[in-house]
Amino acid sequence: MIILTNVHRAQSDGGVERSAFQTARELTRRGHRVNLIYGEGGDLVPELTRICASVRHVPYSDYTFPESRGRALVEHLRLMPAVALAAKCRPDVYYMNRTFAAEWALHAAKLSPAPVVCHWRGTQTPGPRYLPSLSSKVSRFIANSAFTRDAWVAAGIDPD
């Protein structure tokens, strides 16, 4: 199985980044082909390069789920290099290690269809304008805790 995942920063000083590294390592160990896109470099790049099938840098930052249509257009245009690269990988699964990466994965999945899995790591949810889209387009959500899951369900994500 080919899995495309991402890290915003490839640095070992954060919990999300360490968890993404451990997930990539374990998926690779289990025989999956993991392709990784990262936004900012860091000390994990050499190790990620060793364990992943491909590691590519595309400058991007988190999607902010803007409320205005104009700002949303600017955000979408900014994500296009990451979307194009992700779609080129032709993965079997897009695994986003943070909610704020789901937007470019969803766009990439339109170009190169595959399920999008989104890992919740906190309770900060996008505004109500985006929740129905996330709930209907993301194939599966993974929560790091019952507390996180409950916060997202309370915000309006379908618990199924």
Side-chain angles (χ1 to χ4, degrees):
M1 175 178 289
I2 300 171
I3 299 167
L4 177 82
T5 190
N6 74 302
V7 290
H8 175 64
R9 289 181 335 120
Q11 186 68 29
S12 63
D13 63 351
V16 171
E17 292 80 5
R18 285 183 187 171
S19 176
F21 168 74
Q22 291 167 350
T23 300
R25 183 184 63 207
E26 290 305 308
L27 287 168
T28 299
R29 189 180 65 76
R30 293 175 187 183
H32 298 288
R33 181 181 165 100
V34 176
N35 297 287
L36 181 121
I37 294 174
Y38 69 93
E40 293 180 19
D43 64 341
L44 290 175
V45 172
E47 187 63 16
L48 287 164
T49 301
R50 188 183 69 73
I51 64 172
C52 293
S54 69
V55 176
R56 297 180 178 124
H57 174 250
V58 177
Y60 75 91
S61 58
D62 286 339
Y63 187 75
T64 62
F65 297 101
E67 290 300 318
S68 78
R69 291 193 187 278
R71 185 69 195 150
L73 177 60
V74 170
E75 290 277 307
H76 287 321
L77 291 173
R78 185 179 54 76
L79 294 177
M80 291 288 67
V83 169
L85 180 57
K88 273 185 176 179
C89 290
R90 303 235 180 262
D92 296 313
V93 174
Y94 295 92
Y95 167 73
M96 301 298 94
N97 78 58
R98 298 178 69 216
T99 307
F100 298 102
E103 193 67 20
W104 66 261
L106 290 169
H107 287 293
K110 289 178 189 175
L111 299 173
S112 179
V116 175
V117 175
C118 185
H119 200 147
W120 291 328
R121 298 181 182 278
T123 59
Q124 182 183 7
T125 62
R129 175 178 168 196
Y130 291 96
L131 286 172
S133 177
L134 283 176
S135 191
S136 67
K137 294 178 183 172
V138 171
S139 304
R140 183 74 62 211
F141 291 101
I142 301 169
N144 67 344
S145 68
F147 180 81
T148 299
R149 179 202 61 223
D150 292 347
W152 279 84
V153 169
I157 292 287
D158 182 348
D160 291 333

